[in-house]
Amino acid sequence: MGHLLVIESWVGAMSSLLPRAIRESGHRFSFLTRDLGHYLRRTPPGHAVHPLLAAENLLTAETNDLAALPGRVAALHAVLGFDGVVSSCDYYLPAVAAVAEHLGLPGAGAEATARACRKDLARAALAAAGVPGPRFAVTTGWPETAAAAAELGYPLVLKPVDLCAGMFVRRVATEAELRAAHAAATAAAGNARQQPRVRAVLLEELLTGPEVSVETVTSGAGTAVVGVTDKSLTGAPFFVESGHMFPAALPEPERAAAAELAVAAVAALGLRLGVAHTEVRLTPAGPRLVEVNPRPAGNRITELVRRVTGIDLPMAHARLALGEEPELEPVETGAASAAIGLIVPPRAGRLGAVRLRGGGAAAELGALPEVVEAVLPEPGTVAGEPTSNNAYLGHLMVVDGAGAGARRRAEELLDRLELRYAELAGAVAP
């Protein structure tokens, strides 16, 4: 039985999926955080207590101090004996890689992980390796940003180089929109975990065409492609993900080209171990790399994969950190496709009622045989502005045993859901 040190986590899906995977693989874990209260404020649906609190040891340290953290963990390691280090949170992947390297434990490599987690450094490395992607520029102030945008040409995409979940990623078509997007993206001195920000932004040529993600596992045996997931987006000019289906309904040449690009990107970044979630645009000129996330996919995509293939990517993530080879052979599950429809609010406000159009309780959706997960908002829920993937109010997960109909069915069911805002008496949300 191996002993994993989990350093921080997201508080959403992966905070329950990773502990479950560790336990089911026959291992145990301790949890290290700088702020235990961060996890007590939100417990994932279906859990009486936060799953991370089931750790064998709950430990505290300043996880934002990357210089001191490896030494601190080494002292804990001398007492508790860790066999691996892992996280599901993008903001702590570089820390995990640095700690693993310091302790001589399995890892993706500190330098490669730091590079992959910074959008500007990753884009430069991918371009240098010849991995197809958008034309881009990295800028640090408004005059430089305006000049670079004029050279690239509108429309384009502005991204912070060091944030996650699509925060402040925006399509801009004019200099006025660019100024507003730049000001928003560079305003905060720290991120949601109180880590200091890098005030640079990444400007990219706007890519067109469907977006997919490629789920891969890299080990000593090379990089294996588990499959390709499709993606739907909403909330323009923002890039909010509203749904996914696995496997993506793609012609084989397109699927193979996206997979080949993802494998090349993982290699170009130098990632030698781990699960990765690589986003690709299928443009008219061929697949183009959006970004590589060196951790399992969010938005419960890993559950879509597990529903269809039986392959457990959170478990693979944990086993790789322990130096084990994960099981990647698909098994028969009875599902031909699985999809998730994410409930994105149309705007900010307090919900007054959540029900079905034409009558009926929203909870009826969860009783349908094709629905395997239903997390629905309650009246009184406060919705935020739908500008990033942090805005979700819930989701429906659907499986199709016969073919690639799961996404269509999930969208049909979500279309039946009616959100009414409390401050607009009797008015349906636009």
Side-chain angles (χ1 to χ4, degrees):
M1 176 184 287
H3 186 192
L4 272 169
L5 177 65
V6 178
I7 299 179
E8 303 289 4
S9 171
W10 292 120
V11 293
M14 197 54 65
S15 68
S16 59
L17 295 174
L18 183 57
R20 186 269 309 156
I22 294 170
R23 291 194 306 272
E24 291 184 5
S25 61
H27 301 300
R28 56 197 176 97
F29 75 98
S30 293
F31 182 55
L32 176 65
T33 177
R34 67 188 299 270
D35 178 14
L36 191 58
H38 183 82
Y39 301 92
L40 296 175
R41 289 190 286 271
R42 177 183 170 191
T43 298
H47 296 268
V49 296
H50 203 291
L52 290 166
L53 302 186
E56 187 168 285
N57 301 286
L58 293 173
L59 309 166
T60 57
E62 182 46 84
T63 52
N64 286 348
D65 188 346
L66 191 55
L69 186 61
R72 173 61 175 153
V73 174
L76 294 170
H77 176 55
V79 178
L80 300 174
F82 304 122
D83 301 298
V85 194
V86 73
S87 183
S88 64
C89 180
D90 298 61
Y91 294 133
Y92 293 98
L93 297 174
V96 163
V99 167
E101 205 163 89
H102 183 76
L103 299 182
L105 296 173
E111 183 179 346
T113 302
R115 181 165 51 239
C117 290
R118 273 273 300 273
K119 291 179 173 63
D120 54 335
L121 302 181
R123 184 60 76 197
L126 292 164
V131 176
R135 295 180 297 112
F136 70 96
V138 180
T139 64
T140 55
W142 168 246
E144 184 184 0
T145 299
E151 184 174 347
L152 280 174
Y154 294 96
L156 50 78
V157 179
L158 179 143
K159 301 178 179 180
V161 302
D162 60 351
L163 293 180
C164 308
M167 292 182 66
F168 300 107
V169 177
R170 185 167 179 171
R171 179 189 186 274
V172 294
T174 66
E175 185 172 295
E177 291 179 358
L178 178 70
R179 183 184 283 275
H182 180 267
T186 58
N191 63 25
R193 298 302 182 95
Q194 290 77 54
Q195 295 171 329
R197 291 280 316 284
V198 176
R199 299 296 184 94
V201 297
L202 178 63
L203 302 178
E204 294 182 347
E205 167 193 10
L206 179 67
L207 299 175
T208 61
E211 186 169 334
V212 300
S213 64
V214 184
E215 323 309 331
T216 59
V217 176
T218 300
S219 68
T223 296
V225 175
V226 173
V228 179
T229 310
D230 80 5
K231 177 184 300 188
S232 55
L233 298 169
T234 189
F238 304 99
F239 294 83
V240 181
E241 298 173 6
S242 59
H244 305 273
M245 185 174 76
F246 183 91
L250 291 175
E252 177 54 27
E254 287 192 356
R255 188 212 66 80
E260 182 180 353
L261 182 63
V263 172
V266 168
L269 292 173
L271 297 165
R272 61 175 183 253
L273 189 79
V275 177
H277 170 70
T278 299
E279 296 170 338
V280 175
R281 277 275 185 179
L282 303 176
T283 77
R288 296 292 183 266
L289 199 288
V290 177
E291 65 183 33
V292 178
N293 300 280
R295 42 80 179 160
N299 284 348
R300 301 190 74 78
I301 290 173
T302 60
E303 282 297 279
L304 304 183
V305 174
R306 190 162 74 107
R307 291 274 179 183
V308 174
T309 69
I311 297 171
D312 191 327
L313 289 172
M315 187 177 291
H317 187 51
R319 293 189 65 184
L320 287 167
L322 291 164
E324 300 178 353
E325 284 291 330
E327 178 55 59
L328 300 179
E329 188 66 32
V331 298
E332 179 57 47
T333 65
S337 65
I340 186 168
L342 297 154
I343 303 172
V344 181
R347 60 174 178 82
R350 184 180 298 276
L351 300 185
V354 181
R355 61 192 185 188
L356 298 183
R357 299 184 191 279
E364 293 176 19
L365 295 177
L368 296 171
E370 67 271 34
V371 176
V372 293
E373 288 184 13
V375 176
L376 302 172
E378 298 288 339
T381 298
V382 177
E385 291 292 346
T387 60
S388 77
N389 295 343
N390 294 323
Y392 302 133
L393 299 177
H395 69 266
L396 291 178
M397 187 180 294
V398 170
V399 297
D400 180 1
R407 175 177 177 169
R408 182 178 64 255
R409 183 57 174 155
E411 291 173 347
E412 290 171 353
L413 294 178
L414 279 188
D415 283 344
R416 295 177 58 190
L417 192 66
E418 181 178 273
L419 305 180
R420 290 178 178 260
Y421 283 74
E423 68 271 26
L424 296 179
V428 178

